[in-house]
Amino acid sequence: MATKEIARPNRVVEKLLADRHSLPLSITLHLVPGALIVAVYFLVQPVVKALGCPSFVSWAIALCLVLGPVLLGLLWLGRQRNGRLSLRGVLKYLDKPVSGGKLVAIVAALIVWFVVVSTGLISLDNAVYQAFFTWLPFDGAGSATGYLHGYSRSTVIITLAVCLPLTGFSLPLIEELYFRGFLLPRLPQLGRWAPLVNTVLFSLYHFWSPWSFISRVIFFLPGPLLVWWKKDLRLSIGMHPGTTLVLTAGGLIALIFNLAPGLTS
């Protein structure tokens, strides 16, 4: 019995670090973190609401409490493989084949695409929400800034400032390390369809905003596609954390200078 208990973690590690994940395993690894984030949200939301904080704080806490352990799990896998805390052998697409100048140009284009297309598809998101998802019990659901509506300008500014390093950069970075660096390269059996499947599953993982599923697939797909094609994880890191940092910082600056009064009551 003792031998079996010792061997079991090794089999788990081998399965997770294999060059190929089965499709059922990959689907599970894509979606379970999203389900856990929603579960944690419901646990912390009553406390956050009682403290008078926007529900945006509940989502930030839920993301931290789930994605933090995801990163630790990746580091643990690295320790199992390398004998030390390292992401080598766990993540792929780390060899930086895209040159510096080309990298900056591609990332800049991806950020512009992300911002312009996601903004242009807001009306689609609103229509999908009104048609199918008004029953969702999430405070502020239905819009990108709904979680902040109804609070004073100072409260929203403090909330965004505190959450900026997390929701604006660190958490999207962990998502890219996990979804693009760990999961995407382990779908070689799907060939050219791997980036699309990865993007679809990543969009489904956002259980807290299902009305944005269609638009998220559209504006997010170029990032995973280029990572898969160029074998350079920095492309999606530049696009995703880069865009969220720009948008969150831009919204915070707009509020500080009273350029976005619609965010507050």
Side-chain angles (χ1 to χ4, degrees):
M1 181 66 69
T3 303
K4 290 182 179 180
E5 291 177 354
I6 293 172
R8 187 175 301 164
N10 294 333
R11 289 200 299 271
V12 171
V13 170
E14 289 174 2
K15 182 174 287 190
L16 291 174
L17 292 179
D19 290 333
R20 177 180 300 189
H21 286 162
S22 68
L23 194 55
L25 174 61
S26 188
I27 292 172
T28 301
L29 292 174
H30 275 84
L31 299 185
V32 166
L36 292 175
I37 288 167
V38 172
V40 174
Y41 164 82
F42 282 120
L43 288 175
V44 303
Q45 171 63 0
V47 177
V48 170
K49 195 170 185 178
L51 293 174
C53 298
S55 58
F56 183 83
V57 175
S58 300
W59 290 115
I61 293 172
L63 285 160
C64 287
L65 292 179
V66 174
L67 294 180
V70 165
L71 178 59
L72 293 176
L74 294 176
L75 290 169
W76 176 79
L77 286 174
R79 180 162 188 167
Q80 300 304 303
R81 165 158 285 184
N82 305 308
R84 58 188 176 86
L85 292 179
S86 170
L87 293 176
R88 282 288 171 184
V90 178
L91 305 186
K92 299 189 179 183
Y93 306 152
L94 297 177
D95 293 332
K96 303 179 181 179
V98 179
S99 62
K102 186 179 292 186
L103 176 70
V104 172
I106 294 175
V107 167
L110 287 171
I111 291 176
V112 171
W113 166 273
F114 193 117
V115 173
V116 172
V117 176
S118 62
T119 301
L121 292 173
I122 287 176
S123 58
L124 172 62
D125 294 344
N126 292 338
V128 173
Y129 174 77
Q130 291 298 328
F132 301 107
F133 293 110
T134 54
W135 54 270
L136 284 173
F138 305 148
D139 286 356
S143 75
T145 59
Y147 307 114
L148 298 170
H149 285 160
Y151 294 89
S152 68
R153 178 168 166 266
S154 60
T155 298
V156 175
I157 289 174
I158 293 171
T159 299
L160 289 179
V162 170
C163 293
L164 177 62
L166 299 171
T167 58
F169 186 78
S170 300
L171 297 172
L173 174 61
I174 295 173
E175 287 180 330
E176 288 310 304
L177 297 178
Y178 180 66
F179 287 98
R180 250 60 65 186
F182 178 64
L183 295 179
L184 173 59
R186 289 180 167 85
L187 289 172
Q189 69 273 31
L190 299 181
R192 68 182 66 180
W193 295 102
L196 176 60
V197 172
N198 177 260
T199 303
V200 168
L201 292 174
F202 177 69
S203 299
L204 285 173
Y205 143 87
H206 288 77
F207 292 120
W208 54 95
S209 56
W211 59 88
S212 297
F213 169 75
I214 298 173
S215 63
R216 185 173 283 111
V217 171
I218 295 171
F219 68 71
F220 214 92
L221 180 58
L225 187 61
L226 282 168
V227 169
W228 173 81
W229 181 32
K230 296 292 187 180
K231 304 294 186 287
D232 195 329
L233 183 58
R234 296 175 299 167
L235 294 169
S236 63
I237 289 176
M239 181 189 77
H240 186 187
T243 302
T244 54
L245 183 61
V246 167
L247 292 177
T248 306
L252 180 59
I253 292 170
L255 277 169
I256 291 173
F257 290 97
N258 204 26
L259 300 176
L263 277 179
T264 58
S265 59

mmCIF file of all heavy atoms in Angstrom, residues 127-174:
data_model
loop_
_atom_site.group_PDB
_atom_site.id
_atom_site.type_symbol
_atom_site.label_atom_id
_atom_site.label_comp_id
_atom_site.label_asym_id
_atom_site.label_seq_id
_atom_site.Cartn_x
_atom_site.Cartn_y
_atom_site.Cartn_z
ATOM 1 N N ALA A 127 -26.316 42.401 -26.271
ATOM 2 C CA ALA A 127 -27.459 41.696 -26.850
ATOM 3 C C ALA A 127 -27.525 40.261 -26.344
ATOM 4 O O ALA A 127 -28.610 39.760 -26.007
ATOM 5 C CB ALA A 127 -27.366 41.720 -28.379
ATOM 6 N N VAL A 128 -26.380 39.598 -26.283
ATOM 7 C CA VAL A 128 -26.341 38.216 -25.789
ATOM 8 C C VAL A 128 -26.752 38.170 -24.322
ATOM 9 O O VAL A 128 -27.505 37.273 -23.899
ATOM 10 C CB VAL A 128 -24.935 37.609 -25.988
ATOM 11 C CG1 VAL A 128 -24.841 36.240 -25.331
ATOM 12 C CG2 VAL A 128 -24.604 37.499 -27.472
ATOM 13 N N TYR A 129 -26.274 39.126 -23.545
ATOM 14 C CA TYR A 129 -26.638 39.166 -22.125
ATOM 15 C C TYR A 129 -28.146 39.334 -21.954
ATOM 16 O O TYR A 129 -28.777 38.596 -21.175
ATOM 17 C CB TYR A 129 -25.909 40.307 -21.423
ATOM 18 C CG TYR A 129 -26.344 40.488 -19.983
ATOM 19 C CD1 TYR A 129 -25.899 39.624 -18.989
ATOM 20 C CD2 TYR A 129 -27.227 41.515 -19.627
ATOM 21 C CE1 TYR A 129 -26.316 39.767 -17.675
ATOM 22 C CE2 TYR A 129 -27.641 41.672 -18.321
ATOM 23 C CZ TYR A 129 -27.186 40.794 -17.346
ATOM 24 O OH TYR A 129 -27.614 40.932 -16.047
ATOM 25 N N GLN A 130 -28.731 40.301 -22.677
ATOM 26 C CA GLN A 130 -30.160 40.554 -22.545
ATOM 27 C C GLN A 130 -30.989 39.366 -23.010
ATOM 28 O O GLN A 130 -32.071 39.098 -22.479
ATOM 29 C CB GLN A 130 -30.540 41.811 -23.347
ATOM 30 C CG GLN A 130 -29.991 43.103 -22.773
ATOM 31 C CD GLN A 130 -30.517 43.383 -21.369
ATOM 32 O OE1 GLN A 130 -31.647 43.029 -21.022
ATOM 33 N NE2 GLN A 130 -29.700 44.019 -20.548
ATOM 34 N N ALA A 131 -30.487 38.629 -23.998
ATOM 35 C CA ALA A 131 -31.250 37.509 -24.551
ATOM 36 C C ALA A 131 -31.165 36.242 -23.699
ATOM 37 O O ALA A 131 -32.136 35.483 -23.612
ATOM 38 C CB ALA A 131 -30.774 37.219 -25.968
ATOM 39 N N PHE A 132 -29.999 36.034 -23.047
ATOM 40 C CA PHE A 132 -29.783 34.718 -22.424
ATOM 41 C C PHE A 132 -29.325 34.734 -20.970
ATOM 42 O O PHE A 132 -29.476 33.717 -20.286
ATOM 43 C CB PHE A 132 -28.732 33.931 -23.234
ATOM 44 C CG PHE A 132 -29.106 33.697 -24.668
ATOM 45 C CD1 PHE A 132 -28.479 34.393 -25.679
ATOM 46 C CD2 PHE A 132 -30.098 32.780 -25.004
ATOM 47 C CE1 PHE A 132 -28.820 34.180 -27.007
ATOM 48 C CE2 PHE A 132 -30.437 32.552 -26.325
ATOM 49 C CZ PHE A 132 -29.804 33.260 -27.338
ATOM 50 N N PHE A 133 -28.753 35.829 -20.469
ATOM 51 C CA PHE A 133 -28.041 35.725 -19.197
ATOM 52 C C PHE A 133 -28.480 36.718 -18.125
ATOM 53 O O PHE A 133 -27.755 36.921 -17.141
ATOM 54 C CB PHE A 133 -26.535 35.886 -19.439
ATOM 55 C CG PHE A 133 -25.936 34.755 -20.234
ATOM 56 C CD1 PHE A 133 -25.502 34.960 -21.539
ATOM 57 C CD2 PHE A 133 -25.827 33.485 -19.688
ATOM 58 C CE1 PHE A 133 -24.953 33.921 -22.276
ATOM 59 C CE2 PHE A 133 -25.281 32.437 -20.418
ATOM 60 C CZ PHE A 133 -24.845 32.648 -21.718
ATOM 61 N N THR A 134 -29.646 37.321 -18.257
ATOM 62 C CA THR A 134 -30.087 38.257 -17.222
ATOM 63 C C THR A 134 -30.387 37.553 -15.891
ATOM 64 O O THR A 134 -30.489 38.200 -14.855
ATOM 65 C CB THR A 134 -31.350 39.006 -17.684
ATOM 66 O OG1 THR A 134 -32.345 38.046 -18.080
ATOM 67 C CG2 THR A 134 -31.031 39.921 -18.862
ATOM 68 N N TRP A 135 -30.508 36.224 -15.926
ATOM 69 C CA TRP A 135 -30.802 35.456 -14.713
ATOM 70 C C TRP A 135 -29.572 35.233 -13.832
ATOM 71 O O TRP A 135 -29.706 34.796 -12.684
ATOM 72 C CB TRP A 135 -31.368 34.087 -15.093
ATOM 73 C CG TRP A 135 -30.482 33.321 -16.046
ATOM 74 C CD1 TRP A 135 -30.515 33.359 -17.400
ATOM 75 C CD2 TRP A 135 -29.411 32.438 -15.689
ATOM 76 N NE1 TRP A 135 -29.537 32.546 -17.938
ATOM 77 C CE2 TRP A 135 -28.842 31.965 -16.908
ATOM 78 C CE3 TRP A 135 -28.878 31.991 -14.486
ATOM 79 C CZ2 TRP A 135 -27.765 31.078 -16.938
ATOM 80 C CZ3 TRP A 135 -27.807 31.108 -14.509
ATOM 81 C CH2 TRP A 135 -27.262 30.658 -15.726
ATOM 82 N N LEU A 136 -28.383 35.538 -14.345
ATOM 83 C CA LEU A 136 -27.165 35.259 -13.576
ATOM 84 C C LEU A 136 -27.152 36.053 -12.267
ATOM 85 O O LEU A 136 -27.428 37.256 -12.265
ATOM 86 C CB LEU A 136 -25.927 35.618 -14.406
ATOM 87 C CG LEU A 136 -25.554 34.633 -15.511
ATOM 88 C CD1 LEU A 136 -24.411 35.191 -16.352
ATOM 89 C CD2 LEU A 136 -25.160 33.286 -14.926
ATOM 90 N N PRO A 137 -26.778 35.415 -11.150
ATOM 91 C CA PRO A 137 -26.829 36.083 -9.848
ATOM 92 C C PRO A 137 -25.546 36.838 -9.489
ATOM 93 O O PRO A 137 -25.194 36.952 -8.321
ATOM 94 C CB PRO A 137 -27.048 34.908 -8.883
ATOM 95 C CG PRO A 137 -26.307 33.774 -9.525
ATOM 96 C CD PRO A 137 -26.468 33.975 -11.007
ATOM 97 N N PHE A 138 -24.833 37.327 -10.503
ATOM 98 C CA PHE A 138 -23.604 38.068 -10.239
ATOM 99 C C PHE A 138 -23.929 39.559 -10.149
ATOM 100 O O PHE A 138 -24.531 40.123 -11.068
ATOM 101 C CB PHE A 138 -22.577 37.860 -11.357
ATOM 102 C CG PHE A 138 -22.235 36.421 -11.643
ATOM 103 C CD1 PHE A 138 -21.901 36.019 -12.929
ATOM 104 C CD2 PHE A 138 -22.240 35.476 -10.634
ATOM 105 C CE1 PHE A 138 -21.587 34.692 -13.201
ATOM 106 C CE2 PHE A 138 -21.929 34.144 -10.892
ATOM 107 C CZ PHE A 138 -21.596 33.762 -12.180
ATOM 108 N N ASP A 139 -23.510 40.209 -9.070
ATOM 109 C CA ASP A 139 -23.729 41.649 -8.947
ATOM 110 C C ASP A 139 -23.010 42.380 -10.076
ATOM 111 O O ASP A 139 -21.831 42.134 -10.346
ATOM 112 C CB ASP A 139 -23.191 42.160 -7.598
ATOM 113 C CG ASP A 139 -24.084 41.759 -6.442
ATOM 114 O OD1 ASP A 139 -25.145 41.166 -6.708
ATOM 115 O OD2 ASP A 139 -23.720 42.032 -5.291
ATOM 116 N N GLY A 140 -23.731 43.287 -10.736
ATOM 117 C CA GLY A 140 -23.117 44.093 -11.785
ATOM 118 C C GLY A 140 -22.903 43.372 -13.086
ATOM 119 O O GLY A 140 -22.160 43.866 -13.950
ATOM 120 N N ALA A 141 -23.510 42.191 -13.257
ATOM 121 C CA ALA A 141 -23.311 41.440 -14.492
ATOM 122 C C ALA A 141 -23.910 42.185 -15.677
ATOM 123 O O ALA A 141 -24.839 42.968 -15.538
ATOM 124 C CB ALA A 141 -23.955 40.061 -14.375
ATOM 125 N N GLY A 142 -23.348 41.933 -16.856
ATOM 126 C CA GLY A 142 -23.912 42.488 -18.078
ATOM 127 C C GLY A 142 -23.078 43.538 -18.756
ATOM 128 O O GLY A 142 -23.331 43.892 -19.907
ATOM 129 N N SER A 143 -22.056 44.060 -18.069
ATOM 130 C CA SER A 143 -21.177 45.046 -18.708
ATOM 131 C C SER A 143 -19.796 44.965 -18.071
ATOM 132 O O SER A 143 -19.642 44.479 -16.953
ATOM 133 C CB SER A 143 -21.738 46.463 -18.567
ATOM 134 O OG SER A 143 -21.556 46.960 -17.255
ATOM 135 N N ALA A 144 -18.818 45.490 -18.794
ATOM 136 C CA ALA A 144 -17.431 45.410 -18.325
ATOM 137 C C ALA A 144 -17.207 46.216 -17.059
ATOM 138 O O ALA A 144 -16.322 45.906 -16.261
ATOM 139 C CB ALA A 144 -16.478 45.880 -19.423
ATOM 140 N N THR A 145 -17.998 47.276 -16.859
ATOM 141 C CA THR A 145 -17.813 48.135 -15.686
ATOM 142 C C THR A 145 -18.975 48.027 -14.705
ATOM 143 O O THR A 145 -19.042 48.785 -13.741
ATOM 144 C CB THR A 145 -17.643 49.609 -16.123
ATOM 145 O OG1 THR A 145 -18.812 50.007 -16.865
ATOM 146 C CG2 THR A 145 -16.410 49.786 -16.985
ATOM 147 N N GLY A 146 -19.886 47.077 -14.950
ATOM 148 C CA GLY A 146 -21.055 46.954 -14.087
ATOM 149 C C GLY A 146 -20.712 46.657 -12.645
ATOM 150 O O GLY A 146 -21.448 47.040 -11.729
ATOM 151 N N TYR A 147 -19.588 45.987 -12.420
ATOM 152 C CA TYR A 147 -19.178 45.635 -11.064
ATOM 153 C C TYR A 147 -18.774 46.865 -10.246
ATOM 154 O O TYR A 147 -18.596 46.773 -9.033
ATOM 155 C CB TYR A 147 -17.994 44.672 -11.108
ATOM 156 C CG TYR A 147 -18.240 43.459 -11.977
ATOM 157 C CD1 TYR A 147 -17.509 43.254 -13.144
ATOM 158 C CD2 TYR A 147 -19.205 42.529 -11.634
ATOM 159 C CE1 TYR A 147 -17.741 42.148 -13.945
ATOM 160 C CE2 TYR A 147 -19.447 41.415 -12.423
ATOM 161 C CZ TYR A 147 -18.709 41.230 -13.586
ATOM 162 O OH TYR A 147 -18.938 40.139 -14.377
ATOM 163 N N LEU A 148 -18.632 48.022 -10.923
ATOM 164 C CA LEU A 148 -18.196 49.240 -10.236
ATOM 165 C C LEU A 148 -19.302 50.278 -10.140
ATOM 166 O O LEU A 148 -19.137 51.291 -9.454
ATOM 167 C CB LEU A 148 -16.989 49.849 -10.973
ATOM 168 C CG LEU A 148 -15.736 48.974 -11.027
ATOM 169 C CD1 LEU A 148 -14.709 49.586 -11.988
ATOM 170 C CD2 LEU A 148 -15.112 48.798 -9.654
ATOM 171 N N HIS A 149 -20.408 50.056 -10.836
ATOM 172 C CA HIS A 149 -21.491 51.035 -10.833
ATOM 173 C C HIS A 149 -22.133 51.148 -9.448
ATOM 174 O O HIS A 149 -22.245 50.170 -8.717
ATOM 175 C CB HIS A 149 -22.557 50.644 -11.853
ATOM 176 C CG HIS A 149 -22.146 50.913 -13.269
ATOM 177 N ND1 HIS A 149 -22.727 50.301 -14.346
ATOM 178 C CD2 HIS A 149 -21.191 51.727 -13.784
ATOM 179 C CE1 HIS A 149 -22.171 50.719 -15.472
ATOM 180 N NE2 HIS A 149 -21.222 51.584 -15.147
ATOM 181 N N GLY A 150 -22.567 52.367 -9.132
ATOM 182 C CA GLY A 150 -23.286 52.578 -7.886
ATOM 183 C C GLY A 150 -22.413 52.945 -6.714
ATOM 184 O O GLY A 150 -22.909 53.084 -5.600
ATOM 185 N N TYR A 151 -21.113 53.112 -6.934
ATOM 186 C CA TYR A 151 -20.190 53.455 -5.859
ATOM 187 C C TYR A 151 -19.594 54.837 -6.109
ATOM 188 O O TYR A 151 -19.536 55.310 -7.246
ATOM 189 C CB TYR A 151 -19.084 52.406 -5.747
ATOM 190 C CG TYR A 151 -19.597 51.060 -5.317
ATOM 191 C CD1 TYR A 151 -20.025 50.119 -6.254
ATOM 192 C CD2 TYR A 151 -19.693 50.729 -3.964
ATOM 193 C CE1 TYR A 151 -20.524 48.889 -5.864
ATOM 194 C CE2 TYR A 151 -20.187 49.498 -3.565
ATOM 195 C CZ TYR A 151 -20.601 48.585 -4.519
ATOM 196 O OH TYR A 151 -21.104 47.377 -4.123
ATOM 197 N N SER A 152 -19.153 55.461 -5.036
ATOM 198 C CA SER A 152 -18.593 56.804 -5.159
ATOM 199 C C SER A 152 -17.312 56.779 -5.979
ATOM 200 O O SER A 152 -16.647 55.740 -6.105
ATOM 201 C CB SER A 152 -18.300 57.379 -3.772
ATOM 202 O OG SER A 152 -17.231 56.670 -3.160
ATOM 203 N N ARG A 153 -16.983 57.925 -6.526
ATOM 204 C CA ARG A 153 -15.782 58.048 -7.350
ATOM 205 C C ARG A 153 -14.545 57.659 -6.557
ATOM 206 O O ARG A 153 -13.673 56.939 -7.055
ATOM 207 C CB ARG A 153 -15.664 59.488 -7.851
ATOM 208 C CG ARG A 153 -14.435 59.797 -8.682
ATOM 209 C CD ARG A 153 -14.597 61.150 -9.358
ATOM 210 N NE ARG A 153 -13.335 61.620 -9.892
ATOM 211 C CZ ARG A 153 -12.503 62.428 -9.243
ATOM 212 N NH1 ARG A 153 -12.828 62.847 -8.018
ATOM 213 N NH2 ARG A 153 -11.372 62.821 -9.787
ATOM 214 N N SER A 154 -14.448 58.081 -5.307
ATOM 215 C CA SER A 154 -13.274 57.759 -4.494
ATOM 216 C C SER A 154 -13.170 56.263 -4.235
ATOM 217 O O SER A 154 -12.076 55.686 -4.259
ATOM 218 C CB SER A 154 -13.311 58.528 -3.169
ATOM 219 O OG SER A 154 -14.476 58.184 -2.432
ATOM 220 N N THR A 155 -14.318 55.598 -4.005
ATOM 221 C CA THR A 155 -14.307 54.152 -3.765
ATOM 222 C C THR A 155 -13.828 53.403 -4.998
ATOM 223 O O THR A 155 -13.025 52.463 -4.906
ATOM 224 C CB THR A 155 -15.712 53.663 -3.384
ATOM 225 O OG1 THR A 155 -16.108 54.295 -2.159
ATOM 226 C CG2 THR A 155 -15.736 52.148 -3.201
ATOM 227 N N VAL A 156 -14.302 53.811 -6.167
ATOM 228 C CA VAL A 156 -13.895 53.148 -7.412
ATOM 229 C C VAL A 156 -12.414 53.376 -7.682
ATOM 230 O O VAL A 156 -11.695 52.452 -8.093
ATOM 231 C CB VAL A 156 -14.752 53.641 -8.591
ATOM 232 C CG1 VAL A 156 -14.247 53.045 -9.904
ATOM 233 C CG2 VAL A 156 -16.214 53.269 -8.381
ATOM 234 N N ILE A 157 -11.938 54.601 -7.431
ATOM 235 C CA ILE A 157 -10.518 54.898 -7.647
ATOM 236 C C ILE A 157 -9.644 54.041 -6.745
ATOM 237 O O ILE A 157 -8.654 53.441 -7.189
ATOM 238 C CB ILE A 157 -10.238 56.397 -7.405
ATOM 239 C CG1 ILE A 157 -10.843 57.235 -8.545
ATOM 240 C CG2 ILE A 157 -8.733 56.659 -7.311
ATOM 241 C CD1 ILE A 157 -10.735 58.732 -8.320
ATOM 242 N N ILE A 158 -10.002 53.940 -5.468
ATOM 243 C CA ILE A 158 -9.226 53.123 -4.528
ATOM 244 C C ILE A 158 -9.267 51.658 -4.946
ATOM 245 O O ILE A 158 -8.234 50.962 -4.926
ATOM 246 C CB ILE A 158 -9.766 53.301 -3.090
ATOM 247 C CG1 ILE A 158 -9.499 54.722 -2.594
ATOM 248 C CG2 ILE A 158 -9.124 52.278 -2.151
ATOM 249 C CD1 ILE A 158 -10.175 55.051 -1.271
ATOM 250 N N THR A 159 -10.444 51.186 -5.350
ATOM 251 C CA THR A 159 -10.586 49.790 -5.771
ATOM 252 C C THR A 159 -9.689 49.481 -6.957
ATOM 253 O O THR A 159 -8.955 48.482 -6.965
ATOM 254 C CB THR A 159 -12.051 49.482 -6.134
ATOM 255 O OG1 THR A 159 -12.876 49.676 -4.985
ATOM 256 C CG2 THR A 159 -12.197 48.051 -6.622
ATOM 257 N N LEU A 160 -9.737 50.325 -7.984
ATOM 258 C CA LEU A 160 -8.915 50.090 -9.181
ATOM 259 C C LEU A 160 -7.422 50.218 -8.870
ATOM 260 O O LEU A 160 -6.608 49.454 -9.395
ATOM 261 C CB LEU A 160 -9.305 51.072 -10.286
ATOM 262 C CG LEU A 160 -10.672 50.843 -10.941
ATOM 263 C CD1 LEU A 160 -10.934 51.901 -12.011
ATOM 264 C CD2 LEU A 160 -10.765 49.454 -11.533
ATOM 265 N N ALA A 161 -7.067 51.176 -8.012
ATOM 266 C CA ALA A 161 -5.657 51.362 -7.681
ATOM 267 C C ALA A 161 -5.100 50.155 -6.933
ATOM 268 O O ALA A 161 -3.980 49.701 -7.204
ATOM 269 C CB ALA A 161 -5.479 52.633 -6.847
ATOM 270 N N VAL A 162 -5.887 49.625 -5.979
ATOM 271 C CA VAL A 162 -5.439 48.465 -5.214
ATOM 272 C C VAL A 162 -5.363 47.222 -6.097
ATOM 273 O O VAL A 162 -4.433 46.414 -5.988
ATOM 274 C CB VAL A 162 -6.382 48.221 -4.014
ATOM 275 C CG1 VAL A 162 -6.073 46.888 -3.344
ATOM 276 C CG2 VAL A 162 -6.261 49.359 -3.005
ATOM 277 N N CYS A 163 -6.343 47.074 -7.006
ATOM 278 C CA CYS A 163 -6.420 45.877 -7.837
ATOM 279 C C CYS A 163 -5.528 45.951 -9.084
ATOM 280 O O CYS A 163 -5.307 44.912 -9.725
ATOM 281 C CB CYS A 163 -7.860 45.624 -8.271
ATOM 282 S SG CYS A 163 -8.969 45.174 -6.914
ATOM 283 N N LEU A 164 -5.033 47.148 -9.422
ATOM 284 C CA LEU A 164 -4.261 47.312 -10.664
ATOM 285 C C LEU A 164 -3.111 46.321 -10.816
ATOM 286 O O LEU A 164 -2.977 45.688 -11.871
ATOM 287 C CB LEU A 164 -3.743 48.754 -10.765
ATOM 288 C CG LEU A 164 -2.849 49.071 -11.972
ATOM 289 C CD1 LEU A 164 -3.604 48.866 -13.280
ATOM 290 C CD2 LEU A 164 -2.319 50.500 -11.892
ATOM 291 N N PRO A 165 -2.255 46.134 -9.797
ATOM 292 C CA PRO A 165 -1.155 45.176 -9.978
ATOM 293 C C PRO A 165 -1.629 43.738 -10.139
ATOM 294 O O PRO A 165 -0.905 42.921 -10.710
ATOM 295 C CB PRO A 165 -0.332 45.338 -8.683
ATOM 296 C CG PRO A 165 -0.783 46.618 -8.071
ATOM 297 C CD PRO A 165 -2.207 46.783 -8.473
ATOM 298 N N LEU A 166 -2.831 43.444 -9.655
ATOM 299 C CA LEU A 166 -3.344 42.075 -9.711
ATOM 300 C C LEU A 166 -4.154 41.844 -10.974
ATOM 301 O O LEU A 166 -3.740 41.124 -11.877
ATOM 302 C CB LEU A 166 -4.187 41.793 -8.464
ATOM 303 C CG LEU A 166 -3.458 41.904 -7.125
ATOM 304 C CD1 LEU A 166 -4.451 41.832 -5.975
ATOM 305 C CD2 LEU A 166 -2.414 40.804 -6.999
ATOM 306 N N THR A 167 -5.347 42.461 -11.048
ATOM 307 C CA THR A 167 -6.215 42.260 -12.208
ATOM 308 C C THR A 167 -5.666 42.926 -13.452
ATOM 309 O O THR A 167 -6.018 42.541 -14.571
ATOM 310 C CB THR A 167 -7.631 42.801 -11.914
ATOM 311 O OG1 THR A 167 -7.548 44.194 -11.583
ATOM 312 C CG2 THR A 167 -8.255 42.040 -10.756
ATOM 313 N N GLY A 168 -4.819 43.936 -13.268
ATOM 314 C CA GLY A 168 -4.265 44.629 -14.422
ATOM 315 C C GLY A 168 -3.067 43.949 -15.044
ATOM 316 O O GLY A 168 -2.774 44.168 -16.229
ATOM 317 N N PHE A 169 -2.357 43.116 -14.269
ATOM 318 C CA PHE A 169 -1.158 42.491 -14.841
ATOM 319 C C PHE A 169 -0.888 41.080 -14.325
ATOM 320 O O PHE A 169 -0.807 40.131 -15.109
ATOM 321 C CB PHE A 169 0.078 43.361 -14.588
ATOM 322 C CG PHE A 169 1.298 42.841 -15.286
ATOM 323 C CD1 PHE A 169 1.482 43.051 -16.642
ATOM 324 C CD2 PHE A 169 2.258 42.113 -14.590
ATOM 325 C CE1 PHE A 169 2.597 42.546 -17.302
ATOM 326 C CE2 PHE A 169 3.376 41.616 -15.231
ATOM 327 C CZ PHE A 169 3.548 41.832 -16.600
ATOM 328 N N SER A 170 -0.741 40.911 -13.014
ATOM 329 C CA SER A 170 -0.259 39.636 -12.466
ATOM 330 C C SER A 170 -1.186 38.465 -12.777
ATOM 331 O O SER A 170 -0.728 37.393 -13.193
ATOM 332 C CB SER A 170 -0.082 39.751 -10.945
ATOM 333 O OG SER A 170 0.849 40.756 -10.627
ATOM 334 N N LEU A 171 -2.495 38.644 -12.602
ATOM 335 C CA LEU A 171 -3.431 37.546 -12.848
ATOM 336 C C LEU A 171 -3.540 37.192 -14.327
ATOM 337 O O LEU A 171 -3.518 36.003 -14.679
ATOM 338 C CB LEU A 171 -4.795 37.886 -12.240
ATOM 339 C CG LEU A 171 -4.790 38.056 -10.713
ATOM 340 C CD1 LEU A 171 -6.126 38.568 -10.213
ATOM 341 C CD2 LEU A 171 -4.437 36.733 -10.030
ATOM 342 N N PRO A 172 -3.642 38.186 -15.235
ATOM 343 C CA PRO A 172 -3.587 37.833 -16.662
ATOM 344 C C PRO A 172 -2.272 37.153 -17.054
ATOM 345 O O PRO A 172 -2.256 36.286 -17.929
ATOM 346 C CB PRO A 172 -3.745 39.184 -17.370
ATOM 347 C CG PRO A 172 -4.480 40.034 -16.400
ATOM 348 C CD PRO A 172 -3.969 39.615 -15.050
ATOM 349 N N LEU A 173 -1.177 37.533 -16.400
ATOM 350 C CA LEU A 173 0.102 36.890 -16.676
ATOM 351 C C LEU A 173 0.056 35.409 -16.292
ATOM 352 O O LEU A 173 0.507 34.539 -17.057
ATOM 353 C CB LEU A 173 1.224 37.591 -15.912
ATOM 354 C CG LEU A 173 2.614 36.934 -15.985
ATOM 355 C CD1 LEU A 173 3.108 36.876 -17.428
ATOM 356 C CD2 LEU A 173 3.616 37.674 -15.101
ATOM 357 N N ILE A 174 -0.499 35.107 -15.123
ATOM 358 C CA ILE A 174 -0.620 33.702 -14.710
ATOM 359 C C ILE A 174 -1.498 32.943 -15.701
ATOM 360 O O ILE A 174 -1.208 31.795 -16.051
ATOM 361 C CB ILE A 174 -1.192 33.604 -13.282
ATOM 362 C CG1 ILE A 174 -0.220 34.220 -12.273
ATOM 363 C CG2 ILE A 174 -1.474 32.143 -12.906
ATOM 364 C CD1 ILE A 174 -0.778 34.320 -10.863
#
